[in-house]
């Protein structure tokens, strides 16, 4: 007999992923469709990537059109589509300059370089406990979780961590020797944890005094995910640097970092670069994403339906206090903290043709496409309720 997909995968690949046992043959809207034509409601959208769902007609058309012009140009040239995307990003972030990458971790790497060059080698860079900033060495040095770091030491020097929402720890560590603090305003991999207002207020006070950079890692929270433009938009703060990826390329690999004018002249020609970063086809898709999310009303949809989803989940939490301990999140970035392991829920929901994600072992994480309808949300809620009953 032919070996199954999963058996072949084990032969061919390093065992870095716990693959989901489905053979997906195509996808449309909010659904993944397997080789037997079963339709699955996808509530984590390629891990917050497919914000406009799958096979969005405007993305397909923009990508095809760009392919017929040129699919790649060396960054020795500037293309119209890179200019258009940068203009949109700069107007919506109110930053001064942009750099395009292929991924989130590369955007974090570029940011670390920008900070080191501006502040010098001795100043310290901080990230928060339980954070996730990526897997390459600079980014992994900031990703404060044993699960990802163990066995890969040594990391970059002059990097340290601050307790999540721990104002005292923040006050103790930040001083005139601080270069930057990296923050996910809502931690994604860490279990959908929202940073507190008190923490942000203290951070702002300290920045005024010591003039370090606040870096918003918006790779997962950015571009409408929370019902606002960015995760930080719910706080009274303006970051010095914003890092984006995931949803930015509409399913194609694209990341970016943007900084205020204080950083305008830090990089000189040749200091940083990439072969593929800012690929024109990816930028064409990115332009559709930004236009749909920021200018065609999708954020309002996320805000309204996200509030509905969270309120309904809170009702379920009241009905099943022995199973659900907490509902957290904003917009379409939602964590259901369980009093038991989350993986059995993932497989049982899959049998009901609903795909959910589990992070931090007992947190069900929902990151549906931003276009998901109330009907589909109700389909998920109905099935979760059925599972909780047994
Ligand atoms: C996914 C993610 C990254 C890493 O992005 P990649 O594109 O996987 O390299 C970094 N930070 C956050 C907050 C993320 O969610």
């Amino acid at each position: 007999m032919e070996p199954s997909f999963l058996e072949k995968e084990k032969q061919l690949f390093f065992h870095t992923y716990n693959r989901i046992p489905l053979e997906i043959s195509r996808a449309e809207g909010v659904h993944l469709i397997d080789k037997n034509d079963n339709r699955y409601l996808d509530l984590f959208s390629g891990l917050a990537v497919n914000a406009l769902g799958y096979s969005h007609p405007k993305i397909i058309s923009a990508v095809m059109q760009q392919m017929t012009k040129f699919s790649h140009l060396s960054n020795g040239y500037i293309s119209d589509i890179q200019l258009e995307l940068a203009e949109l990003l700069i107007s919506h972030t109110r930053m001064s300059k942009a750099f395009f990458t292929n991924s989130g971790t590369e955007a974090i790497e570029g940011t670390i370089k920008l900070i080191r060059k501006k502040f010098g080698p001795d100043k310290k860079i901080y990230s928060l406990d339980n954070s996730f900033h990526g897997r390459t060495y600079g980014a992994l040095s900031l990703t404060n979780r044993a699960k990802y770091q163990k066995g890969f030491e040594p990391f970059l020097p002059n990097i340290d961590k601050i307790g999540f929402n721990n104002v005292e720890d923040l006050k103790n560590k930040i001083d005139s020797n601080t270069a930057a603090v990296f923050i996910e305003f809502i931690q994604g991999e860490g279990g959908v944890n929202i940073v507190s207002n008190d923490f942000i207020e203290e951070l702002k006070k300290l920045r005024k005094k010591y003039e370090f950079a606040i870096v918003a890692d918006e790779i997962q929270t950015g571009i409408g995910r929370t019902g606002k433009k960015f995760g930080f938009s719910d706080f009274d703060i303006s970051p010095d640097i914003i890092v984006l990826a995931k949803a930015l390329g509409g399913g194609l690999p694209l990341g970016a970092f943007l900084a205020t004018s204080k950083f305008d002249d830090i990089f000189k020609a040749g200091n940083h670069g990439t072969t593929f970063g800012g690929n024109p086809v990816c930028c064409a898709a990115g332009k559709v994403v930004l236009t749909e999310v920021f200018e065609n009303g999708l954020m309002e949809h996320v805000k309204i339906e996200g509030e509905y989803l969270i309120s309904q989940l809170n009702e379920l939490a009241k009905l099943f206090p022995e199973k659900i301990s907490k509902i957290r999140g904003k917009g379409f970035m939602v964590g259901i903290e369980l009093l038991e392991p989350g993986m059995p829920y993932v497989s049982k929901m899959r049998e009901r043709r609903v795909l959910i994600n589990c992070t931090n072992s007992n947190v069900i994480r929902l990151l549906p496409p931003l276009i998901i309808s109330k009907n589909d949300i109700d389909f998920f809620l109905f099935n979760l309720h059925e599972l909780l009953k047994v």
Side-chain angles (χ1 to χ4, degrees):
M1 221 176 81
E2 261 292 283
S4 73
F5 254 41
L6 288 184
E7 284 162 357
K8 275 195 208 163
E9 193 267 353
K10 283 223 153 41
Q11 289 167 16
L12 297 170
F13 290 91
F14 287 112
H15 302 164
T16 55
Y17 302 107
N18 281 318
R19 308 272 192 181
I20 295 161
L22 289 181
E23 294 185 28
I24 301 302
S25 58
R26 62 204 169 88
E28 54 188 35
V30 294
H31 292 100
L32 293 180
I33 301 155
D34 75 8
K35 59 173 186 180
N36 302 319
D37 248 10
N38 297 310
R39 297 174 75 86
Y40 292 83
L41 175 63
D42 177 13
L43 293 178
F44 59 100
S45 40
L47 281 167
V49 167
N50 297 291
L52 302 187
Y54 298 91
S55 312
H56 192 283
K58 287 187 187 171
I59 290 187
I60 292 176
S61 143
V63 162
M64 305 242 290
Q65 220 182 343
Q66 183 58 47
M67 286 293 284
T68 63
K69 296 185 196 165
F70 47 84
S71 59
H72 173 81
L73 271 191
S74 138
N75 276 312
Y77 304 92
I78 182 69
S79 58
D80 51 355
I81 191 69
Q82 274 196 356
L83 289 172
E84 287 166 35
L85 188 69
E87 241 166 15
L88 269 174
L89 273 178
I90 281 175
S91 85
H92 286 287
T93 57
R94 301 202 188 137
M95 294 281 122
S96 174
K97 301 271 185 260
F99 185 92
F100 289 140
T101 69
N102 304 291
S103 67
T105 200
E106 284 171 83
I108 295 283
E109 293 298 319
T111 302
I112 295 172
K113 284 177 69 177
L114 186 65
I115 288 164
R116 281 279 198 249
K117 188 136 192 291
K118 179 172 171 64
F119 294 92
D122 299 326
K123 291 211 174 183
K124 276 195 156 175
I125 300 176
Y126 292 94
S127 58
L128 306 192
D129 230 358
N130 223 21
S131 58
F132 185 88
H133 297 292
R135 315 269 198 162
T136 50
Y137 258 98
L140 186 59
S141 302
L142 291 167
T143 289
N144 270 314
R145 296 189 68 194
K147 178 182 161 191
Y148 300 116
Q149 285 190 325
K150 202 163 174 279
F152 298 110
E153 303 85 350
F155 297 112
L156 284 189
N158 290 329
I159 284 192
D160 202 354
K161 65 176 170 181
I162 293 170
F164 184 74
N165 284 344
N166 187 334
V167 176
E168 279 315 301
D169 198 29
L170 179 69
K171 282 199 224 168
N172 287 337
K173 286 186 177 147
I174 301 290
D175 57 21
S176 56
N177 198 40
T178 302
V181 180
F182 280 67
I183 298 188
E184 298 160 87
F185 284 77
I186 306 178
Q187 289 187 333
E189 302 300 312
V192 193
N193 308 308
I194 306 177
V195 83
S196 72
N197 273 313
D198 288 351
F199 192 86
I200 294 302
E201 284 308 311
E202 188 58 42
L203 188 66
K204 273 164 57 187
K205 258 194 242 164
L206 292 164
R207 176 175 63 177
K208 210 164 192 181
K209 192 162 168 198
Y210 297 119
E211 300 189 321
F212 57 89
I214 297 175
V215 181
D217 180 342
E218 294 282 349
I219 292 170
Q220 192 163 144
T221 47
I223 317 179
R225 173 59 53 196
T226 64
K228 295 270 174 69
K229 282 184 181 174
F230 302 102
F232 71 79
S233 310
D234 268 316
F235 296 81
D236 178 25
I237 190 171
S238 49
D240 301 278
I241 300 176
I242 297 174
V243 190
L244 298 168
K246 293 208 163 93
L248 181 60
L252 295 178
L254 184 61
F257 59 93
L258 299 110
T260 61
S261 55
K262 280 185 286 189
F263 294 87
D264 278 3
D265 301 317
I266 301 301
F267 282 150
K268 310 288 182 233
N271 279 169
H272 196 51
T274 158
T275 300
F276 285 123
N279 170 274
V281 179
C282 304
C283 287
K287 195 181 148 197
V288 174
V289 172
L290 295 187
T291 308
E292 290 301 301
V293 175
F294 290 153
E295 293 170 10
N296 291 348
L298 201 48
M299 274 192 309
E300 291 69 30
H301 169 76
V302 174
K303 191 169 173 340
I304 292 166
E305 300 308 333
E307 276 169 17
Y308 171 74
L309 171 63
I310 290 172
S311 74
Q312 294 300 107
L313 286 171
N314 275 315
E315 293 303 315
L316 283 180
K318 272 187 226 154
L319 283 176
F320 301 97
E322 74 289 357
K323 292 186 175 162
I324 299 178
S325 57
K326 204 162 197 141
I327 307 297
R328 289 190 292 266
K330 283 180 191 169
F332 283 163
M333 182 165 182
V334 179
I336 306 168
E337 189 180 284
L338 300 169
L339 293 160
E340 53 194 9
M343 279 319 282
Y345 283 83
V346 173
S347 48
K348 284 181 196 151
M349 285 299 264
R350 193 166 58 235
E351 286 164 19
R352 293 170 171 274
R353 309 271 159 81
V354 180
L355 304 174
I356 56 175
N357 171 256
C358 171
T359 187
N360 228 8
S361 77
N362 69 330
V363 180
I364 293 175
R365 178 174 46 163
L366 307 177
L367 296 160
L370 306 186
I371 57 162
I372 192 173
S373 68
K374 187 158 186 253
N375 265 346
D376 285 324
I377 292 173
D378 283 335
F379 180 75
F380 158 71
L381 289 166
F382 168 81
N383 280 288
L384 182 62
H385 193 172
E386 291 295 301
L387 267 194
L388 288 163
K389 277 198 282 197
V390 292

